[in-house]
Amino acid sequence: MTYFAFSCAIVLACLLVGSIKRQQRLEKEWGRLKKKLGQSELKHEEDYSLDLQNLLDALPYPFFSINKEGVLNRFNSQARHIFGSRDILNRSIHQVFLDSAITSLLSKSLTELKPYREILRFPPDSVFSSQTPDKDSHWEIDIYPLSLGSSSREIQLMMRDITASVHSDQIRQDFVANASHELRTPLSVISGYLEHLTEEGGLDHKETSQKMLETMDRHLVRINRIVDDMLLISKLESDDSVPLNLAPFSIATCVQDVIERLDLVIKKQRSTIKVDVPNIQLIGDHFYWTQILFNLVENALKQNPEMQLQIHIYSELDQDDNFKIHIADNGIGIPANDLPFIFKRFYRVEKHHSQTQVKGTGLGLSIVKRAIEAHGGTITATSTPGIKTVFSIGIPHAYHDIDND
Ligand code: ADP
């Protein structure tokens, strides 16, 4: 029994020692595991934070996260882009945005925990001024509040620059107003004259009737021109590759034809046109080339009705054998701020459409540009108002044939 008890004690002791050792081993293992687990949790957190930042940076729009104290605690690379090198992290929204409209929206959302979506307009000197430096910019603001438990809250702000679409909407609205006005004026003249001529005895006075018919004809030409321009730009813009009737034609003769068509206006305005274009053959669509040159010369005359304008049309071949033709005038020119936009559809420098203003729909230069591009060419414009405005067309070698000189 004693032996048995002794043996049991030994076994128990061994077991105890074993279990203590195992316990120690287990504790050690557990410690190691905890450490590992801790690190991996930490790593997870780091990974998560990194993933989140990558995700935010991948957003195409500026994103900001603001804590309940109204302090910026996270933003993405698009947001960084707006502020450049300015230090904005951990700064209050007032210090960051410097604009009362946006900060009051953010504060409201923070206190009310309500989302807000608004379009805000910022003046050109604000941090949110976009590519058009002299114009107001327009941003769509999206604010989402997040409740992070009872005491913690945060708001997230996403911003989208919609300046370009607001401006193009404005341009489209101006076009509708311009085009309606441009069509309404000749239409009301024609309908007034027709009413008079169809009245009893309306045709009695032959000379007056003749004058009325001529005026009606002029106005019809104008209406046709507007409708043709609309059809032409939609044709040029609808096809990726505009079908061209390519054939050799003399560019010098084309210039002369255009001048002849505008002869009446040139004489009436006492303008002069100097042409230095050699008699070389271009390979192109004669119809489009006439349109291109007509629009450019007519624009110069149209913009300068009061002065005895000097227009110079000249050409050259550059080192790479590209053909260049320039249409220059010494008229009022184009302000630097408008220059980047003049080839856009519907864009007009003169926004109003009163009787006394220069007529137009803003389609002429967009037709010119598209037609030149269809020929594989380019057009640029430079202007020093009152001194020199030049439209320069470049045509690659494939579209001209010097050997046929
Ligand atoms: P539209 O003549 O119908 O207004 P365009 O597309 O032909 O439209 O021209 C766009 C703008 O470019 C015009 O509103 C005009 O102000 C400007 N422009 C074009 N050519 C000239 C020029 N030679 N001199 C001054 N302004 C010009």
Side-chain angles (χ1 to χ4, degrees):
M1 181 71 183
T2 324
Y3 178 71
F4 179 68
F6 181 66
S7 301
C8 279
I10 297 256
V11 170
L12 266 173
C14 282
L15 279 173
L16 199 67
V17 170
S19 103
I20 287 170
K21 275 196 172 159
R22 208 169 52 236
Q23 175 82 16
Q24 280 172 345
R25 227 181 27 243
L26 269 172
E27 266 178 9
K28 228 169 149 185
E29 198 59 46
W30 180 237
R32 252 206 318 268
L33 234 149
K34 270 204 324 198
K35 216 170 149 192
K36 235 178 171 175
L37 193 72
Q39 275 171 352
S40 82
E41 265 171 4
L42 199 69
K43 183 130 190 332
H44 267 122
E45 230 169 70
E46 276 169 10
D47 285 352
Y48 169 73
S49 170
L50 207 69
D51 284 352
L52 179 66
Q53 191 60 45
N54 286 340
L55 200 73
L56 293 177
D57 286 345
L59 285 174
Y61 309 118
F63 169 93
F64 306 86
S65 169
I66 293 143
N67 71 14
K68 68 175 195 291
E69 276 83 34
V71 169
L72 188 70
N73 58 14
R74 191 187 275 276
F75 55 89
N76 70 354
S77 53
Q78 296 289 337
R80 159 60 55 222
H81 193 63
I82 295 179
F83 292 92
S85 57
R86 237 180 80 196
D87 205 3
I88 53 170
L89 191 66
N90 298 325
R91 299 285 159 110
S92 83
I93 49 174
H94 303 279
Q95 291 171 312
V96 174
F97 295 112
L98 307 169
D99 179 274
S100 60
I102 191 164
T103 49
S104 72
L105 263 188
L106 291 168
S107 307
K108 253 174 34 182
S109 177
L110 260 177
T111 43
E112 299 164 6
L113 270 187
K114 265 175 44 185
Y116 281 96
R117 169 175 280 193
E118 276 191 28
I119 290 174
L120 295 183
R121 185 183 182 139
F122 298 100
D125 58 355
S126 113
V127 286
F128 299 110
S129 68
S130 36
Q131 310 87 347
T132 41
D134 62 317
K135 295 195 170 106
D136 284 356
S137 49
H138 303 258
W139 290 76
E140 192 177 67
I141 309 290
D142 257 314
I143 305 173
Y144 303 98
L146 284 182
S147 182
L148 310 167
S150 53
S151 61
S152 190
R153 59 178 60 173
E154 197 171 281
I155 51 170
Q156 304 195 327
L157 161 70
M158 186 119 98
M159 301 182 70
R160 201 159 65 89
D161 186 355
I162 54 165
T163 311
S165 81
V166 169
H167 284 168
S168 67
D169 278 355
Q170 185 58 50
I171 288 170
R172 243 190 297 275
Q173 280 169 23
D174 286 351
F175 167 74
V176 174
N178 268 326
S180 330
H181 179 81
E182 290 281 283
L183 291 171
R184 203 185 53 205
T185 312
L187 277 173
S188 55
V189 171
I190 292 169
S191 78
Y193 281 5
L194 271 178
E195 205 176 310
H196 176 85
L197 292 171
T198 51
E199 271 172 7
E200 217 185 304
L203 290 167
D204 287 355
H205 201 283
K206 206 167 169 238
E207 212 174 300
T208 317
S209 310
Q210 182 64 31
K211 271 207 170 122
M212 283 184 175
L213 285 170
E214 280 166 13
T215 312
M216 281 161 66
D217 186 51
R218 263 204 330 275
H219 284 294
L220 267 176
V221 169
R222 178 82 198 127
I223 293 174
N224 266 330
R225 172 82 194 281
I226 295 167
V227 175
D228 283 350
D229 276 1
M230 287 181 184
L231 291 174
L232 198 58
I233 192 68
S234 80
K235 187 172 161 194
L236 285 167
E237 290 196 340
S238 63
D239 278 326
D240 277 347
S241 58
V242 180
L244 297 176
N245 280 327
L246 292 180
F249 70 96
S250 157
I251 182 75
T253 313
C254 191
V255 170
Q256 278 315 321
D257 289 348
V258 166
I259 294 173
E260 268 165 39
R261 276 174 62 188
L262 288 164
D263 192 46
L264 270 181
V265 192
I266 296 168
K267 287 204 172 111
K268 194 171 155 207
Q269 292 187 191
R270 288 192 287 145
S271 302
T272 51
I273 300 200
K274 187 170 171 230
V275 181
D276 289 311
V277 178
N279 189 23
I280 63 165
Q281 299 277 307
L282 282 194
I283 298 164
D285 190 316
H286 186 258
F287 167 79
Y288 283 122
W289 271 102
T290 312
Q291 193 82 26
I292 292 165
L293 294 169
F294 185 90
N295 284 2
L296 292 174
V297 178
E298 195 209 25
N299 265 351
L301 292 165
K302 197 169 73 173
Q303 294 298 327
N304 300 283
E306 306 292 321
M307 61 183 298
Q308 295 159 27
L309 191 73
Q310 289 170 12
I311 299 176
H312 188 193
I313 306 176
Y314 53 100
S315 66
E316 59 180 305
L317 278 177
D318 71 10
Q319 319 92 303
D320 301 322
D321 210 15
N322 294 315
F323 176 72
K324 290 205 161 176
I325 181 161
H326 311 274
I327 294 92
D329 71 69
N330 64 343
I332 56 156
I334 303 162
N337 289 338
D338 291 291
L339 215 48
F341 308 105
I342 53 168
F343 294 106
K344 280 185 187 288
R345 202 166 29 132
F346 311 140
Y347 192 86
R348 302 195 71 221
V349 173
E350 46 291 312
K351 313 281 184 260
H352 20 69
H353 39 85
S354 74
Q355 291 278 52
T356 49
Q357 293 303 321
V358 179
K359 290 183 175 21
T361 51
L363 289 176
L365 286 182
S366 56
I367 290 173
V368 166
K369 184 167 190 279
R370 293 279 172 165
I372 291 168
E373 285 170 353
H375 284 82
T378 54
I379 179 160
T380 53
T382 56
S383 184
T384 310
I387 297 179
K388 197 173 183 186
T389 297
V390 191
F391 285 86
S392 300
I393 301 169
I395 292 293
H397 182 255
Y399 285 97
H400 67 89
D401 184 359
I402 306 148
D403 302 334
N404 285 352
D405 201 304

